[in-house]
Amino acid sequence: DKIYKEFFRVLKPGGVLGVVQHREIIGREQDPEAKSGYVLETEVIKMAEKAGFLMDSRTNINANPMDTKDYEKGVWTLPPVYRLGDVDREKYKKIGESDRMTLKFIKPTN
């Protein structure tokens, strides 16, 4: 919440906030610490709107349906980090980078 409030404070009215975040599976409970690196899209939207932003649009340009989001070392198991080193590296390379939400918010002008 603090980060979104600060974004809101520093942006001029009409300013744009873009958010690209590792997307958690709908229906899973949100870990408050997001230890896996994945966050529910609804939570991101809720935090941004609570800070005063208006949701403008979203795109699936960074979506990856091959990301099962159930890795021992969280999102960092996937490329480019490969937290498990060479363990199952080819498997994770085939999956690719994480499934990410891409959201656009606007700071109201009034």
Side-chain angles (χ1 to χ4, degrees):
D1 286 340
K2 289 180 186 180
I3 293 169
Y4 284 93
K5 286 178 186 176
E6 185 64 9
F7 289 152
F8 191 83
R9 186 188 70 76
V10 300
L11 276 174
K12 294 179 182 179
V16 174
L17 172 66
V19 177
V20 178
Q21 171 64 44
H22 309 292
R23 180 178 21 219
E24 180 61 274
I25 294 173
I26 295 170
R28 281 196 183 158
E29 189 173 325
Q30 179 62 59
D31 172 4
E33 296 178 18
K35 293 175 189 170
S36 69
Y38 293 100
V39 179
L40 288 167
E41 191 167 319
T42 53
E43 289 298 309
V44 172
I45 294 168
K46 184 169 66 173
M47 287 186 285
E49 289 179 341
K50 182 178 174 184
F53 287 101
L54 300 174
M55 177 75 177
D56 181 75
S57 59
R58 64 173 54 121
T59 180
N60 281 319
I61 194 166
N62 292 306
N64 180 357
M66 292 179 62
D67 178 3
T68 57
K69 308 167 189 188
D70 59 355
Y71 314 107
E72 177 186 348
K73 299 290 184 177
V75 69
W76 305 281
T77 303
L78 299 174
V81 178
Y82 294 110
R83 179 117 346 132
L84 295 177
D86 289 333
V87 175
D88 292 326
R89 190 178 187 97
E90 284 304 309
K91 170 185 163 183
Y92 298 125
K93 183 177 181 182
K94 287 178 184 175
I95 293 169
E97 293 190 23
S98 70
D99 175 44
R100 287 162 287 158
M101 64 185 91
T102 305
L103 309 173
K104 179 181 175 186
F105 298 93
I106 304 289
K107 181 174 179 177
T109 55
N110 52 11

